Amino acid sequence: MNTHDTSRREFLAASLLAGAALAGCNTKNPFEKDAAEMVNPSGEMVKLLSVDGEVIEIDKAFLKPVPHLPAVSNDAARLGIGNKKFVMVIDLSRCKSLKKCQSACNHMHHVHPGQNWIKVYPMQDAEHTAPYWQPTTCMHCDEPPCVKVCPVDATFKRQDGIVLIDSDRCIGCRFCMAACPYSTRVFNWEEPEMEPEIAAQPYSCESSVPQKKGTVGKCDFCPDMARKGELPHCVSACPNGVFLFGDMLEDSVTNGAETFRFSDLIKDKAGYRLMEDLGTKPSVYYLPPVNRNFPFENAETKEEAKKS
Amino acid sequence: MENLAKQKVIQDLKPQQFGKRGMIWVGILLFICAVGLFAYIRQLSKGLVVTSMRDYVSWGIYISNFVFFVAISLVGSLITAVLRLSDVHWSTPLTRIAEIIAVAAITFASIIIVVDMGRPERFYNLFLHGRLQSPIIWDVIVITTYFFISMLLLYFPLLPDLNILMKLKEKTSKGLDKLYSFLGSFWKNTPGQIKINERAISILSITIIPVAFSIHTVTSWLFATTYRPGWDSTNFGAYFISGAFLVGAGGVVVAMYVFRKAYKLENYIKEDHFDKMGKVLVMLALLYLYFNINEFLVPAFKMKKPEEEHLVGLFTGEFAPIFWFAIFTAMIIPIFILLFKKGRKPLPAFIAGCLVVIGSWFKRYLIVTPTLLHPFLPMQDVPDSYRHYFPSWEEWAIAMGSLAGVLLIITIFARIFPIIPIQETITEIEEHENV
Ligand code: SF4
Ligand code: SF4
């Protein structure tokens, strides 16, 4: 298996940055890490939002403005990032349903409590076959049924392969939810609860935040992170490296710690896609649950069995 | 035809004031509408969370009500167009009943679809950003077209009647008179006008047929263009249309009976009409049954994995009571009632019509909801309430409010305009006498 050293370094740097980057402070944005050691604390504290979505307090002196990132316009967000074709590989042999991906995703996108963009299914294909865990995101289909049926172009396919939702345009007809065979879409049935600083953020379809009442939502492949050269939240949150994310054109995918040549990985490990027969052409590939790192243990069914 | 007889027809058919029962009826309808409106205001302020719809069952009784309304509205084209073009004359007194049912139902179909939207205030996006490949846009186009053609088919045959009403000695009321002259004062009953009107009506009667077929076919495609078991069917267009004609004809029989009783129209809506409509109903019910057998038996023979859960749920599972109730009340029992000559007398025919309409409403519910509860991937990582669906009181109130709204439009229309075409009835009697 070939590792790509350059892109690996890039992504390692990116994940370091991810540890330091802070959102939620609009004008004086994130600070650089190495600068922190040289500054004397001023005693003046400011509240910030950490990558885990927690509000933390930090001395003001540690903040240093970085070059301003221009906000992506709606047109640019609809077009996508040039010369990219994003792809995800989910390695089922590594998953033990920790659901760290899910909680990180919910946190960062302020998904309504109870709803999830990432679902982790206990699967068993037939009576005598082995059970396994199957995390699902939006498949970012290349022939997306959801996009086909949307009457107002609120769900759209970008040239980098990502399928996004424009919550400023969505009329809430929910046709896309009926059309998506992967049941990945959720709906904001009520006014989403958010902290005021999040609600005050300008909406962008790339961050999907703030969520809007009466509109639909789903996994967005974190294009806002990709623009910064960083990995989606689920990828960096998973301690077992189940999710690999990358660019088809570069032919590489990474989970932050390991980087693989995408085509080799899929070939060697017999990767496949879900519901291939429907012709939706997903951008998410699965590696079969063979030689598994963990035995399959379903806490939910265990509890149920205990109860009864 | 003697003037006296003509006067009698006019006297019999001119719109009448509501009696006590009429008042109570309108009062009840208004009340139901008001409750529905109240529920909708709640929904507007709180969001669709007041409904029982959730991520899996993302369409509920609003959408099944929509399908029901579109279905019942098809009868306008059946009675006015199909029967008119096939030179069937007995249906003349029924045309206006059918046409007002069509207009009222299609109006509320549009309203209920807006009610179902998460962001109704963004409705204009359909025009600003409409994308032609979405079946919703097709539906918007054909439903609007159907609405306008139906309005014209209601209006043009009304013109000679307006003329008659304006000439009436005892004026009904000032307001109504103004309305009549606003709508029809240009109509002078000249042979030229009559000729143009007739031509217009026959052109519209022809154009409405493909439009009517499209509205319900496109509505069926809202489901059939998805992959879901239970919807993914090439049979859906024909299945929907046959069902639509059935429920529409059932609705007409019910309306015939009610109007006949309420306005004492025994001389105009005769037993013969019930007899003939009864036969039409039997034929349509058999046709719908045929498409149902296609729709369920063929997949049930194969029992493909994704279909299996859905079909078993319908046949013997969770939805079996409603499923068999709908099949029996909408088709089998009415067929048995109406097959017999005695069953085609007004009262039994009325009962059969009611059964058809009620059964069909539940049928629409079954088309929408069970499918959504059987997604390809099992339901997972959602709160328990997401796994079931039973409409909330707000949904019931709004759905019932919309049904009451349809009845209200029909009732008020019958208060203002003659529900049986006067001029056409006179002409027909004259023709009859000449023969
Ligand atoms: S998985 Fe569903 S929501 Fe995502 S692109 Fe495919 S059809 Fe659309
Ligand atoms: S719910 Fe929104 S995104 Fe989905 S089809 Fe309707 S308008 Fe498009």
Side-chain angles (χ1 to χ4, degrees):
Chain A
M1 223 155 283
N2 287 350
T3 47
H4 274 209
D5 269 334
T6 38
S7 55
R8 180 179 175 174
R9 221 176 297 129
E10 232 178 69
F11 266 110
L12 281 177
S15 45
L16 272 180
L17 235 169
L22 296 163
C25 158
N26 286 336
T27 43
K28 289 183 213 146
N29 232 346
F31 58 93
E32 281 158 320
K33 204 181 186 212
D34 51 342
E37 291 105 348
M38 298 179 283
V39 182
N40 294 324
S42 68
E44 204 182 327
M45 305 298 273
V46 285
K47 275 195 179 144
L48 291 171
L49 198 66
S50 80
V51 260
D52 305 327
E54 264 141 50
V55 180
I56 50 171
E57 268 195 2
I58 269 191
D59 194 289
K60 205 175 179 187
F62 289 139
L63 296 181
K64 231 183 171 188
V66 289
H68 185 64
L69 281 177
V72 182
S73 71
N74 188 276
D75 284 341
R78 282 174 171 272
L79 212 57
I81 304 171
N83 287 324
K84 296 267 181 202
K85 172 75 179 79
F86 293 109
V87 66
M88 181 177 271
V89 179
I90 298 179
D91 188 347
L92 298 178
S93 68
R94 299 173 171 201
C95 181
K96 64 181 280 194
S97 188
L98 278 181
K99 297 197 173 175
K100 294 274 188 227
C101 50
Q102 197 179 59
S103 50
C105 171
N106 291 352
H107 232 128
M108 295 314 294
H109 297 107
H110 308 277
V111 179
H112 186 272
Q115 289 178 321
N116 298 291
W117 287 1
I118 297 181
K119 291 176 183 161
V120 186
Y121 291 89
M123 297 297 281
Q124 185 167 16
D125 297 337
E127 201 186 336
H128 297 295
T129 59
Y132 58 93
W133 292 107
Q134 175 182 283
T136 59
T137 61
C138 167
M139 300 290 138
H140 295 275
C141 309
D142 282 346
E143 295 291 342
C146 56
V147 171
K148 266 196 224 162
V149 300
C150 179
V152 295
D153 207 10
T155 273
F156 51 90
K157 178 86 179 163
R158 318 199 307 173
Q159 59 185 26
D160 56 11
I162 294 182
V163 172
L164 282 189
I165 297 162
D166 185 346
S167 292
D168 275 338
R169 186 180 290 182
C170 172
I171 58 170
C173 65
R174 309 190 294 292
F175 199 0
C176 52
M177 300 180 79
C180 170
Y182 304 94
S183 306
T184 199
R185 293 177 163 250
V186 304
F187 193 73
N188 288 307
W189 299 100
E190 58 188 325
E191 194 64 65
E193 285 168 36
M194 279 174 298
E195 284 156 51
E197 49 262 57
I198 306 217
Q201 278 179 29
Y203 172 79
S204 149
C205 4
E206 291 211 335
S207 64
S208 309
V209 172
Q211 308 263 332
K212 298 192 173 185
K213 172 180 141 188
T215 66
V216 80
K218 67 162 186 69
C219 153
D220 57 8
F221 258 19
C222 299
D224 50 337
M225 301 300 278
R227 269 201 206 272
K228 290 187 259 174
E230 291 167 24
L231 288 170
H233 303 292
C234 51
V235 180
S236 25
C238 178
N240 298 323
V242 170
F243 296 88
L244 299 126
F245 188 75
D247 180 2
M248 198 93 118
L249 303 179
E250 263 178 29
D251 200 16
S252 80
V253 286
T254 180
N255 54 20
E258 305 153 277
T259 303
F260 300 96
R261 188 186 279 277
F262 168 75
S263 50
D264 287 347
L265 185 66
I266 292 299
K267 217 190 299 161
D268 295 345
K269 293 217 170 165
Y272 64 94
R273 302 186 290 191
L274 293 188
M275 300 180 212
E276 196 64 68
D277 53 324
L278 298 184
T280 50
K281 305 200 176 122
S283 300
V284 177
Y285 291 75
Y286 284 85
L287 302 183
V290 287
N291 299 328
R292 278 186 268 170
N293 293 359
F294 309 100
F296 179 89
E297 269 169 18
N298 193 344
E300 275 171 44
T301 45
K302 246 192 199 167
E303 261 168 47
E304 270 165 35
K306 248 188 230 164
K307 267 184 222 161
S308 63
Chain B
M1 186 166 144
E2 281 182 31
N3 225 348
L4 219 66
K6 197 167 155 183
Q7 282 310 320
K8 184 170 175 343
V9 172
I10 295 174
Q11 281 306 324
D12 282 351
L13 295 184
K14 74 168 191 201
Q16 293 161 24
Q17 262 164 349
F18 290 136
K20 200 170 163 200
R21 267 195 280 174
M23 286 301 209
I24 295 172
W25 170 245
V26 172
I28 293 173
L29 291 181
L30 279 174
F31 176 73
I32 301 175
C33 286
V35 176
L37 196 66
F38 172 70
Y40 185 54
I41 291 169
R42 265 176 66 85
Q43 178 181 313
L44 275 184
S45 67
K46 300 197 171 189
L48 283 167
V49 68
V50 301
T51 69
S52 294
M53 291 186 280
R54 291 299 178 260
D55 293 344
Y56 282 103
V57 183
S58 49
W59 283 344
I61 54 170
Y62 294 158
I63 294 291
S64 58
N65 226 4
F66 164 75
V67 177
F68 177 77
F69 284 143
V70 176
I72 207 164
S73 80
L74 239 61
V75 72
S77 73
L78 173 74
I79 305 270
T80 25
V82 178
L83 293 186
R84 194 188 284 254
L85 288 178
S86 50
D87 227 14
V88 171
H89 287 291
W90 59 263
S91 63
T92 316
L94 311 180
T95 46
R96 198 161 289 155
I97 295 180
E99 216 45 70
I100 186 61
I101 292 179
V103 168
I106 207 76
T107 307
F108 271 87
S110 327
I111 292 176
I112 203 81
I113 209 74
V114 175
V115 166
D116 185 69
M117 282 164 53
R119 299 297 290 239
E121 79 279 13
R122 290 185 187 164
F123 191 78
Y124 63 88
N125 276 357
L126 285 173
F127 305 99
L128 226 56
H129 302 292
R131 285 161 82 249
L132 213 52
Q133 70 264 54
S134 168
I136 290 193
I137 297 291
W138 310 343
D139 229 4
V140 171
I141 295 170
V142 287
I143 284 184
T144 323
T145 315
Y146 188 70
F147 175 78
F148 283 110
I149 298 183
S150 297
M151 282 298 260
L152 291 179
L153 270 178
L154 194 59
Y155 180 52
F156 287 166
L158 200 59
L159 284 169
D161 286 5
L162 290 175
N163 190 269
I164 292 172
L165 289 176
M166 277 186 289
K167 282 195 205 138
L168 271 186
K169 281 192 204 79
E170 352 70 272
K171 302 283 174 189
T172 26
S173 80
K174 253 215 166 127
L176 280 191
D177 245 29
K178 261 196 193 144
L179 183 71
Y180 295 153
S181 63
F182 172 74
L183 287 173
S185 59
F186 66 90
W187 183 265
K188 297 283 178 279
N189 244 347
T190 64
Q193 278 184 327
I194 293 175
K195 212 171 144 205
I196 293 177
N197 201 13
E198 268 171 11
R199 270 196 68 81
I201 292 172
S202 55
I203 290 173
L204 287 174
S205 304
I206 295 169
T207 41
I208 201 167
I209 293 175
V211 180
F213 272 69
S214 350
I215 60 166
H216 217 41
T217 309
V218 170
T219 302
S220 81
W221 287 347
L222 294 184
F223 307 98
T225 50
T226 70
Y227 296 88
R228 298 192 179 244
W231 290 353
D232 179 14
S233 156
T234 47
N235 184 33
F236 247 42
Y239 172 53
F240 268 47
I241 289 194
S242 58
F245 280 148
L246 173 65
V247 57
V252 167
V253 172
V254 173
M256 275 160 60
Y257 184 82
V258 173
F259 282 128
R260 183 176 193 250
K261 276 262 140 133
Y263 291 128
K264 314 223 161 27
L265 299 174
E266 282 82 359
N267 290 331
Y268 303 92
I269 304 178
K270 302 191 183 114
E271 295 214 344
D272 190 40
H273 285 117
F274 286 92
D275 187 65
K276 293 215 162 86
M277 279 307 287
K279 286 178 184 160
V280 171
L281 263 182
V282 171
M283 184 198 76
L284 291 171
L286 285 171
L287 191 67
Y288 192 41
L289 198 60
Y290 165 75
F291 280 110
N292 268 281
I293 291 171
N294 270 287
E295 186 56 35
F296 293 108
L297 204 62
V298 177
F301 187 83
K302 291 175 284 193
M303 278 295 180
K304 282 196 276 186
K305 191 82 209 308
E307 305 265 353
E308 187 181 341
E309 249 184 279
H310 171 66
L311 290 174
V312 170
L314 289 179
F315 294 159
T316 53
E318 189 186 352
F319 295 102
I322 315 182
F323 179 76
W324 294 112
F325 173 81
I327 297 275
F328 275 89
T329 40
M331 286 165 265
I332 304 202
I333 301 175
I335 290 177
F336 275 109
I337 297 178
L338 297 168
L339 264 182
F340 300 100
K341 194 152 179 63
K342 269 193 191 148
R344 296 193 296 270
K345 293 262 179 269
L347 185 63
F350 165 71
I351 293 170
C354 289
L355 289 178
V356 165
V357 174
I358 294 167
S360 298
W361 192 89
F362 283 98
K363 192 86 178 62
R364 300 302 176 285
Y365 173 75
L366 287 174
I367 288 173
V368 177
T369 299
T371 286
L372 289 167
L373 280 170
H374 298 115
F376 283 107
L377 292 170
M379 291 189 265
Q380 176 70 23
D381 286 352
V382 285
D384 228 24
S385 62
Y386 283 40
R387 293 165 193 259
H388 313 279
Y389 175 74
F390 189 81
S392 66
W393 78 259
E394 285 92 346
E395 278 176 282
W396 283 117
I398 292 173
M400 292 304 135
S402 65
L403 289 170
V406 170
L407 295 177
L408 197 63
I409 293 187
I410 298 172
T411 312
I412 291 175
F413 179 86
R415 165 70 192 87
I416 299 176
F417 302 106
I419 194 69
I420 308 273
I422 302 179
Q423 182 61 51
E424 281 176 77
T425 309
I426 294 173
T427 323
E428 218 130 274
I429 296 174
E430 277 172 352
E431 271 170 16
H432 203 72
E433 279 170 1
N434 289 345
V435 174

